[in-house]
Amino acid sequence: MSATGRAWVFGDNVDTDALAPGLYMKGSLAALASHCLEAVDPNFARSVKPGDIVVGGLNFGIGSSREQAAQVLKELALHAVVAHSYGGIFYRNALNCGLLAVTCAETGRISPGDELRVDAAAGMIVNESTGETFACDPVPEHLMEMIEAGGLVPHLAKRLARDNNEQERKAP
């Protein structure tokens, strides 16, 4: 799975309250997504395009365990999040909801608006705007399958259906 998109660059310590502001948690996911990162960039949610890529620094997604912090980025149809490091729960929530999250130590070399190609399985990010290539932590195959399926729940449903079909074929 390779993702190409325009970079939206944020700094260190972007927390889950900036991603999914508590004030809007009682509304729909779409309404919550319309306020994503507004405390950091008031124009982000209305300017981000499907396929864009969020780039963070250290500790992206720190804070509470709210899974909506990852879900709003997926709701906005982002291809991926690339960060130097993540809050552990955010990282797990991102993968579980089918949002590609890639760790790259070189995020400080990416500028807003750069066109990035992320090849998570190969562990590579190409900055199409500058020609630079950055190593990233490859995403293991089993996690890539989960992301491609749309997240943990769809992945498990697909596996369960496949396993049931195999059992039916083997039954006498």
Side-chain angles (χ1 to χ4, degrees), residues 30-96:
L32 182 60
S34 73
H35 297 282
C36 180
L37 291 164
E38 72 183 3
V40 182
D41 180 349
N43 296 314
F44 173 75
R46 51 180 181 263
S47 301
V48 68
K49 302 279 189 262
D52 285 351
I53 297 169
V54 166
V55 178
L58 296 167
N59 303 316
F60 189 85
I62 61 167
S64 73
S65 62
R66 64 178 70 153
E67 62 191 16
Q68 294 89 342
Q71 289 173 335
V72 294
L73 295 174
K74 184 154 183 192
E75 176 75 15
L76 292 169
L78 292 168
H79 265 314
V81 177
V82 175
H84 188 276
S85 63
Y86 294 92
I89 294 172
F90 173 85
Y91 182 77
R92 189 169 342 144
N93 285 339
L95 298 176
N96 284 344

Side-chain angles (χ1 to χ4, degrees), residues 64-151:
S64 73
S65 62
R66 64 178 70 153
E67 62 191 16
Q68 294 89 342
Q71 289 173 335
V72 294
L73 295 174
K74 184 154 183 192
E75 176 75 15
L76 292 169
L78 292 168
H79 265 314
V81 177
V82 175
H84 188 276
S85 63
Y86 294 92
I89 294 172
F90 173 85
Y91 182 77
R92 189 169 342 144
N93 285 339
L95 298 176
N96 284 344
C97 80
L99 177 65
L100 179 60
V102 177
T103 304
C104 176
E106 303 294 331
T107 57
R109 296 174 59 188
I110 299 169
S111 298
D114 284 353
E115 282 291 319
L116 303 179
R117 183 169 35 90
V118 179
D119 187 338
M124 180 179 67
I125 298 171
V126 177
N127 187 327
E128 302 285 0
S129 299
T130 66
E132 293 179 276
T133 299
F134 309 117
C136 63
D137 294 347
V139 177
E141 184 178 339
H142 71 283
L143 292 177
M144 289 302 299
E145 289 174 8
M146 186 174 76
I147 293 165
E148 289 169 1

